[in-house]
Amino acid sequence: MKRVDDFRLKLGGKELVPIITGGMGVDISTAELSLVAARLGGIGHISDAMVPTVSDRRFQTRFVSEKQKKFKYNVANRDKTDVHFDLARLAEATRLHVGRTMEAKKGDGLIFINTMEKLTMNNPRETLRVRLSAAMDGGIDGITLSAGLHLGSLALVQDHPRFRDVKFGIIVSSLRALALFLRKTARLDRLPDYIIVEGPLAGGHLGFGLDWAQFDLRHIVDEVIGYLKQESLDIPVIPAGGIFTGTDAVQFLETGSAAVQVATRFTVTKECGLPAKVQQEYFKANEEDIEVNMISLTGYPMRMLKGSPAIGAGIRPNCEAYGYLLDGSGNCAYIDAYNRELDKHPEAEKISVMDKTCLCTHMRNFDCWTCGHYAYRLKDTSRRLPDGSYQILQAEDVFKDYQFSTDGRIALPPVEAAAT
């Protein structure tokens, strides 16, 4: 039986292990996690979600507190129109995060950054231009455009000196979305270098409606591969979402996929940014503990653990410090929902908002526990310790399990000395 290691992803003259770690935002896909994938010959993703916050944690910068201080006068105001990011400081934070990661890179692999285009930041076009440009300035190997694909994204940076050098990829969940993007970018003479097809079993935001269960990753991938062949386009196709074992990956690689993108199994590794106590919640989860809901203010369904503290929390909007999801007019669906509940219960010390959540604050605090459909199987990938908790894994072990496993097997981690 074949293994993932029997295949190679050919990208820009390089041959890579066909494993890509997903770009889980707000430093869940940390630099350390991406560096492991790159060292082992694959591709690691970092994320540009809330990079000023990430920079403050990692490098003791003060981007968030500076912004909060600047707009402190507006905290009690329901109108957030005035709350904008300093684009020069945003660029500095991005260059710092990307640059430090690239300086630490070893091995033959690559490091990409996942750019979530739904982070509109009260100035969608210009903040996206700055984030893309700064990532290229920082030396990133590739940029994956995700979360609300903007058809004009590449045109924003077509004059950047690295525009033809950096690998650009897109995440789509349908052939229709891919065809629209290719038509829009045709005039740039710049096709995407890779296409990630994310299916309905993925973690976090989904590119489907609440009818997500009616769709199938295999079917969408086959449609995309067939379309590219019909159009004589040689672009690597990379499925994502629900690929839990090396055997799952091989089934795609044998039928024309160039690589696979995987994320959920890396959430419970030491290199992942999730706090250890949250990782234990992932291990303990059963299938019925996972839901797809509409509490995201992006309008997309989102898969997460039902026990996520973000669900039903009625915290005050913290746009003055964060504000990553304010639209171009300074609006946000959570602000509307929060103020609605506040008006209903003006005397309440604490309110609950069930239909939306403040993604900025809760993602920043690791209180929105997004996960893939098969997160309930994570307990089968580790060892249970005498105290009832589970052994946290090493990213290298998970990567190599994908790379070398066969017959649907998952290799348990070596027993740690402390565990014995």
Side-chain angles (χ1 to χ4, degrees):
M1 180 174 286
K2 288 190 175 181
R3 307 171 303 173
V4 168
D5 196 55
D6 294 322
F7 301 84
R8 285 295 179 268
L9 166 62
K10 296 179 180 179
L11 193 63
K14 292 181 72 72
E15 289 198 357
L16 302 151
V17 176
I19 299 172
I20 303 175
T21 59
M24 299 173 281
V26 200
D27 218 23
I28 295 176
S29 286
T30 59
E32 290 76 17
L33 181 54
S34 72
L35 289 167
V36 170
R39 175 172 57 80
L40 296 174
I43 298 175
H45 265 112
I46 55 175
S47 170
D48 88 332
M50 300 177 70
V51 161
T53 293
V54 174
S55 175
D56 287 354
R57 282 179 175 155
R58 288 183 163 268
F59 313 119
Q60 289 71 57
T61 52
R62 299 184 60 81
F63 295 119
V64 173
S65 60
E66 286 175 7
K67 181 172 179 281
Q68 188 173 33
K69 182 178 179 180
K70 180 178 180 180
F71 296 107
K72 184 178 179 180
Y73 71 89
N74 201 65
V75 168
N77 191 354
R78 295 187 177 191
D79 183 355
K80 306 299 182 182
T81 308
D82 289 347
V83 180
H84 285 86
F85 283 79
D86 181 324
L87 296 186
R89 297 292 273 164
L90 176 62
E92 184 181 346
T94 304
R95 286 194 298 267
L96 187 57
H97 182 40
V98 172
R100 291 285 181 88
T101 305
M102 298 308 294
E103 288 170 5
K105 189 181 83 165
K106 297 178 181 178
D108 297 326
L110 301 174
I111 293 179
F112 292 173
I113 190 167
N114 184 290
T115 301
M116 301 178 67
E117 302 188 58
K118 274 292 185 182
L119 298 180
T120 42
M121 303 168 73
N122 205 356
N123 190 355
R125 184 180 177 85
E126 290 308 310
T127 54
L128 182 57
R129 187 200 308 273
V130 165
R131 289 152 59 202
L132 294 173
S133 295
M136 289 192 277
D137 292 342
I140 201 71
D141 291 318
I143 297 175
T144 301
L145 303 172
S146 69
L149 198 60
H150 292 183
L151 299 181
S153 299
L154 294 183
L156 294 176
V157 290
Q158 61 182 315
D159 296 327
H160 193 281
R162 296 193 66 214
F163 181 64
R164 305 280 170 183
D165 172 42
V166 169
K167 303 303 173 193
F168 277 98
I170 58 173
I171 295 182
V172 297
S173 294
S174 70
L175 175 57
R176 179 178 177 274
L178 171 62
L180 284 171
F181 186 88
L182 293 179
R183 284 200 294 270
K184 182 68 175 180
T185 57
R187 66 180 182 82
L188 296 176
D189 189 30
R190 178 66 168 86
L191 292 170
D193 297 288
Y194 56 97
I195 299 163
I196 297 172
V197 179
E198 190 172 80
L201 302 184
H205 288 99
L206 305 179
F208 305 88
L210 287 177
D211 60 348
W212 59 270
Q214 299 178 22
F215 296 88
D216 176 70
L217 176 60
R218 166 73 64 185
H219 177 72
I220 303 168
V221 168
D222 288 347
E223 274 193 331
V224 168
I225 291 175
Y227 172 80
L228 294 175
K229 287 182 179 177
Q230 175 186 313
E231 299 296 319
S232 300
L233 296 174
D234 185 17
I235 306 174
V237 175
I238 301 162
I243 302 170
F244 201 75
T245 69
T247 302
D248 296 336
V250 166
Q251 290 172 355
F252 282 100
L253 297 173
E254 286 185 318
T255 54
S257 295
V260 294
Q261 179 170 287
V262 290
T264 293
R265 285 187 58 190
F266 288 96
T267 60
V268 288
T269 61
K270 292 181 179 179
E271 292 82 358
C272 174
L274 282 177
K277 65 178 181 179
V278 177
Q279 291 176 316
Q280 293 300 324
E281 296 295 328
Y282 279 59
F283 276 126
K284 291 188 297 183
N286 296 314
E287 187 171 6
E288 60 269 20
D289 298 322
I290 300 168
E291 70 176 21
V292 175
N293 59 43
M294 291 298 297
I295 68 170
S296 171
L297 46 91
T298 64
Y300 287 104
M302 189 161 58
R303 178 174 280 111
M304 64 179 65
L305 297 186
K306 290 180 180 178
S308 299
I311 299 175
I315 61 171
R316 186 183 68 189
N318 204 4
C319 306
E320 284 67 36
Y322 308 124
Y324 296 93
L325 284 153
L326 292 172
D327 66 19
S329 301
N331 299 316
C332 163
Y334 178 72
I335 296 174
D336 295 338
Y338 173 83
N339 288 326
R340 179 198 67 218
E341 295 302 319
L342 200 62
D343 291 340
K344 285 182 181 178
H345 310 284
E347 304 301 325
E349 292 186 8
K350 185 176 181 181
I351 64 172
S352 177
V353 181
M354 294 301 300
D355 55 320
K356 295 296 173 187
T357 193
C358 183
L359 275 184
C360 294
T361 301
H362 290 306
M363 287 290 190
R364 186 259 182 196
N365 293 334
F366 301 109
D367 284 336
C368 193
W369 300 341
T370 59
C371 62
H373 174 78
Y374 289 120
Y376 65 88
R377 294 175 60 186
L378 286 172
K379 59 176 64 67
D380 299 326
T381 70
S382 184
R383 298 181 185 275
R384 196 158 193 184
L385 304 177
D387 65 358
S389 66
Y390 289 85
Q391 183 176 325
I392 304 300
L393 310 176
Q394 299 280 354
E396 180 169 345
D397 291 338
V398 176
F399 188 99
K400 288 183 175 179
D401 187 52
Y402 271 111
Q403 187 176 0
F404 298 112
S405 65
T406 59
D407 296 322
R409 292 193 297 264
I410 294 172
L412 294 180
V415 179
E416 294 182 339
T420 61

